[in-house]
Amino acid sequence: MKRFLTIPIALLLLGVSGTPKLTPRQRADHALNRLAFGARPGDVDRVMAEGVDAWINRQLHPESIADRGVDARLDQYATLKMSDAQIFSKYYAPILAARKAKKEGESDEEMRRRIPFDQRPQHVVAELNAQRIIRAADSDRQLNEVMVDFWMNHFNVFAGKGLDRVLLTSYERDTIRPRIWGNFEDLLIATAKSPAMLFYLDNARSRSGALNENYAREIMELHTLGVDGGYTQQDVTELARVFTGWTIDRPRQGGGFVFRPMLHDNAPKVVLGIRFPAGGGMNEGERMIHFLAHHPKTAHHLALQLCQRLVADDPPKALVDRVAKRFLDSGGDLRQTVKAVIDSAEFWDPKFYRAKVKSPFEYAVSALRAIGARVDDPLPLARELQKMGEPLYGAQPPTGYSDKADAWINEGAMLNRMNFALTLAANKMPGVRVDEQSAASLDIGVDMPKAASTPGLILGSPEFQRQ
Amino acid sequence: MINRRIFLNSSGLALVAGGLLPNVFVKMAGAATTKGKKTLVAVFQRGAVDGLNVIVPYAEKAYYDARPNIAVARNDVLELDGFFGAHPSLASLMPYFKDKSLAVVHAVGSPDSTRSHFDAQDFMESGTPGVKSTEDGFLARAISNTHDQAASPLRAVALSPAMPRILSGSGSAVAMTNIAQFGVRGGAQVSAAFEAMYGKQSFEAANLLKSADPTKLQPENGAQYPPNPLGNSLKQIAQLIKSNVGLEVAFTDVGGWDTHAGEGGAQGQLANNLRNFSDAIAAFTRDLGSRMGDVVLVTMSEFGRTVRENGNRGTDHGHANVMLAIGGGVKGGKVYGRWPGLGAEHLFEGRDVAVTTDFRDVFGELLTKQLGVAALKSVFPGYEAGPSKWRGLIA
């Protein structure tokens, strides 16, 4: 079956050194690999000079890091600052108008072609892609971008589903980004009330007498308790009844969350043993979110996922338990929880150094950084991510993308990585500039096989697939 | 009645001499039969094709009552069985219905009631209607199920820019849009360097493609692929089959079916799309000639469309739909499935064609009989899949 995994991955998974402890240089490199999108030329020296612990502490407080260079570059993307209502009137209304004016016999494609590209919903998603790539590649708040990627994936919303293509801008900017260093309950309730999630998992159209269980299932299975969280189908149905009435105000004009008592199921309910008498309202859902956010199963599920992202595909159980305990003890403090992972002995264990296979996004961005590339137009890169199997905002199922190597390693995907490396190193990637000199002095900080004799081969090597 | 089929018959002369075959078969009759692996080709019509206007229940008055502007008139349909007729745009496929290599399954679909394209496609590709968290696709599970050491690195190919949901998670499927460009670009030295680093076995599919060089194979038997994306994909799938690279499952998709407005009847938007669609499949069938004996091509779409036309002379999202199966073992020339009727009392939720055949039963039969999948339970978890529910459309 997984033929690509047989030898190459065995090779990929072998740690580089057998030493009992990482050297100071390896520690800096490791921090840049796991808590950032890889090192740029000179980064390892800079982090060593600052001190790895001091650098990490700064990264854990992104609000203290000025990011003016990136902020200035993002000014060109007007939709990033627009409200949902503004985005809808500019990028969704033209579709509605075109549909109305559609001519007899005209195909949908022909109809859409009449709308200029910069007024289509795709334009909004394109700008969103652009900011994620620019921020990941060049932001000084690197750990923040790593965690944005983690939480956007945890609370995945797919841009290909109807209105979500015009709702994701506010979702990332207003729902996710401001809350990833705060309390998990705040993040959970913000996603529950976000139009993007309400639409994506259909809660917006669930109502008393016409239940849609989609969100009720996924909030337990994916967002909180985990698939083995101990809930039953009956709990799913009852929770769906709890969330009836949680919907979107004027969904085709970019309205926000609204609770509609008329749509709410007023009968008594029992969810996971919690009783709600008849006549309750929105407070039922808020109470369930509070309960789920602080549940031990949730702590374990989140701890496992964080450790998979930051440490190893199959992280040590003792580490997961410790991180889960910190989550519970801190009342769901996400900064404390991430810090528990980074502070652990396991995080710095040499057996995990350069041992985790990069996702396509991590791979592409780390290649840009390693070779000191300057990104003028991120859209060709966004298309490369699609080829490698990880289009941003493009995960269809609510599970999001996997953090495990076997999801990413197949022959076609690896060929795309190699071709990406060759194209980038040859300065032939559209929208990206690579300086010949910095390419020639490319050094990824580990011993390379003899065959890796050019910058393209170095970036395409098994060594550079690992972080 | 013509019940002998060219796919299974390498000595086609008798058929030709009998004068029973339409002209298109004359050249195919001489084609050599190359026994190879059996292949299943799935074509996904994304956007929900209007099955009622593809295979028209022309004998139902309710059909015409519900569609005053976009129905296909009885004298426009291509006769199938005295009750159903095919849309005139399917003309290029009719010879295969007549020679019984093309079967139709009507009122087929997913039991889940969602009318969201996204959810319905997701459910159909994961093979688990109603269950969102299934990570892999059912064709991926099917090929894992038939795993053997000798399996080709090209056993499962998606003609698609990214790995589609239906083949995700197997680890052994590959996705490509152009089989000529699947490989490391940059010359022999670069390839050798990567092989030195990763090992030769990491490039099996690319190397196999390179040595088999399928793109040198021209369409045979006078097949002319229409110049559209589906034609291009099917042409490449045919090249892979003919070059004996061990292809077992191929997948591709084609959009443009979401006809909410200006759908048209015998002519118009849907008619144009359907012509492109059937001409591509007909060219594929003709190109493969006798080799079709080892191949079944099946079509699928996430749900059907409303029985009643809407205010924009189109149709909205519905429920059951139609699937076509063409190829070797297909017992064609027949419309399969129990027809639920279009009378108000028979409609699903009062508006749509009811599902009387679960799509998993069509695929269950195909996967078992065509690919030798033994454990359907692991392909369709949670579903009581088994021969008792099959329609018997494969010999």
Side-chain angles (χ1 to χ4, degrees), chain A residues 189-322:
Chain A
I189 198 151
T191 57
K193 291 182 176 176
S194 67
M197 187 65 78
L198 285 163
F199 186 81
Y200 176 58
L201 292 180
D202 304 317
N203 206 73
R205 61 193 184 96
S206 181
R207 58 194 161 82
S208 179
L211 280 189
N212 188 302
E213 297 178 350
N214 203 353
Y215 180 67
R217 181 184 309 280
E218 304 308 357
I219 189 179
M220 291 196 284
E221 177 169 328
L222 302 173
H223 301 166
T224 62
L225 305 176
V227 68
D228 52 356
Y231 53 88
T232 63
Q233 173 57 41
Q234 179 72 12
D235 290 319
V236 171
T237 306
E238 293 285 286
L239 187 58
R241 294 176 59 218
V242 161
F243 282 121
T244 48
W246 291 51
T247 187
I248 308 171
D249 187 26
R250 296 170 293 111
R252 287 175 185 276
Q253 294 163 50
F257 169 77
V258 65
F259 177 74
R260 295 208 187 282
M262 291 291 288
L263 305 180
H264 187 68
D265 184 332
N266 284 314
K269 314 167 185 81
V270 184
V271 195
L272 294 163
I274 300 173
R275 291 181 179 279
F276 296 101
M282 187 170 128
N283 61 327
E284 294 177 348
E286 288 169 334
R287 201 174 141 200
M288 281 312 301
I289 282 176
H290 176 77
F291 175 80
L292 290 171
H294 298 278
H295 198 285
K297 292 266 189 195
T298 299
H300 185 269
H301 181 215
L302 291 177
L304 175 64
Q305 288 190 313
L306 274 170
C307 293
Q308 273 178 342
R309 170 76 189 216
L310 298 174
V311 183
D313 287 7
D314 290 303
K317 188 180 174 302
L319 171 66
V320 175
D321 290 346
R322 220 175 316 125

Side-chain angles (χ1 to χ4, degrees), chain B residues 1-143:
Chain B
M1 195 165 79
I2 310 162
N3 59 4
R4 292 163 296 177
R5 280 180 300 146
I6 202 74
F7 300 151
L8 298 177
N9 195 329
S10 53
S11 60
L13 286 172
L15 304 179
V16 178
L20 295 169
L21 285 170
N23 198 28
V24 291
F25 289 107
V26 173
K27 281 186 181 169
M28 285 171 49
T33 301
T34 325
K35 185 69 188 161
K37 282 219 159 169
K38 290 212 171 189
T39 307
L40 177 64
V41 181
V43 178
F44 203 123
Q45 296 173 278
R46 294 196 193 274
V49 65
D50 181 16
L52 282 176
N53 268 17
V54 178
I55 301 298
V56 179
Y58 68 79
E60 277 233 32
K61 183 173 174 295
Y63 167 78
Y64 291 100
D65 291 346
R67 299 185 166 203
N69 297 295
I70 61 161
V72 184
R74 180 166 183 162
N75 52 9
D76 283 330
V77 301
L78 309 171
E79 177 60 45
L80 294 180
D81 66 356
F83 185 87
F84 292 106
H87 190 286
S89 289
L90 266 56
S92 53
L93 287 175
M94 280 308 99
Y96 303 107
F97 189 84
K98 291 204 178 82
D99 88 341
K100 296 185 186 296
S101 50
L102 169 66
V104 174
V105 188
H106 223 319
V108 62
S110 163
D112 193 88
S113 65
T114 182
R115 291 185 179 87
S116 145
H117 292 298
F118 156 74
D119 291 331
Q121 289 180 23
D122 196 39
F123 290 153
M124 202 163 263
E125 294 187 70
S126 71
T128 56
V131 179
K132 280 295 194 82
S133 49
T134 309
E135 286 190 11
D136 46 7
F138 82 81
L139 285 181
R141 292 194 295 275
I143 55 168

